[in-house]
Amino acid sequence: VEEAPEFPGGMEECVKFIKQNTLYPIEAHRKGIHGRVLVSCVISDKGVIESPHIYRSVDPLLDAEALRVIQSMPKWKPGKQRGKEVNVKYTLPVVFRLQ
């Protein structure tokens, strides 16, 4: 695509959204499970997240939370090709760190 999709406010706001809206599963925290889940999806020509799925898994508990967070995102500015809004495949990381 000539113009990539854009989260409202840019990538910095996207990372902030993911961090603020991710709830570390209690059982995963208790078991010491951590890592980076990659969620692949399509950002539609309307800016909506569609067909999210796990591209790289860590654990079913973290995977489920990562999908929930990505599905809860607000609309994006759609990607464009030759001036026309198009569907774009996109991969987003959701990081789980033990503290």
Side-chain angles (χ1 to χ4, degrees), residues 69-85:
V69 170
I70 299 304
Q71 289 172 319
S72 73
M73 287 185 147
K75 281 189 172 185
W76 288 52
K77 177 183 171 191
K80 289 186 178 181
Q81 185 71 30
R82 293 184 206 94
K84 184 181 175 197
E85 295 173 341

Side-chain angles (χ1 to χ4, degrees), residues 30-98:
R30 199 175 6 240
K31 291 179 176 179
I33 301 167
H34 61 93
R36 186 172 72 158
V37 177
L38 294 180
V39 178
S40 186
C41 61
V42 172
I43 298 172
S44 77
D45 59 349
K46 305 283 185 248
V48 177
I49 300 282
E50 294 180 350
S51 307
H53 64 278
I54 300 301
Y55 181 74
R56 193 180 98 203
S57 174
V58 172
D59 180 271
L61 293 167
L62 300 186
D63 297 350
E65 177 59 12
L67 280 173
R68 185 196 68 77
V69 170
I70 299 304
Q71 289 172 319
S72 73
M73 287 185 147
K75 281 189 172 185
W76 288 52
K77 177 183 171 191
K80 289 186 178 181
Q81 185 71 30
R82 293 184 206 94
K84 184 181 175 197
E85 295 173 341
V86 293
N87 294 345
V88 178
K89 190 171 181 180
Y90 212 82
T91 302
L92 294 159
V94 181
V95 179
F96 293 87
R97 286 193 182 98
L98 291 170

Side-chain angles (χ1 to χ4, degrees), residues 11-45:
M11 271 320 283
E12 192 174 303
E13 287 299 314
C14 181
V15 171
K16 195 165 142 184
F17 176 90
I18 291 171
K19 283 182 181 179
Q20 289 177 345
N21 291 281
T22 300
L23 304 172
Y24 212 118
I26 294 168
E27 188 179 344
H29 192 273
R30 199 175 6 240
K31 291 179 176 179
I33 301 167
H34 61 93
R36 186 172 72 158
V37 177
L38 294 180
V39 178
S40 186
C41 61
V42 172
I43 298 172
S44 77
D45 59 349

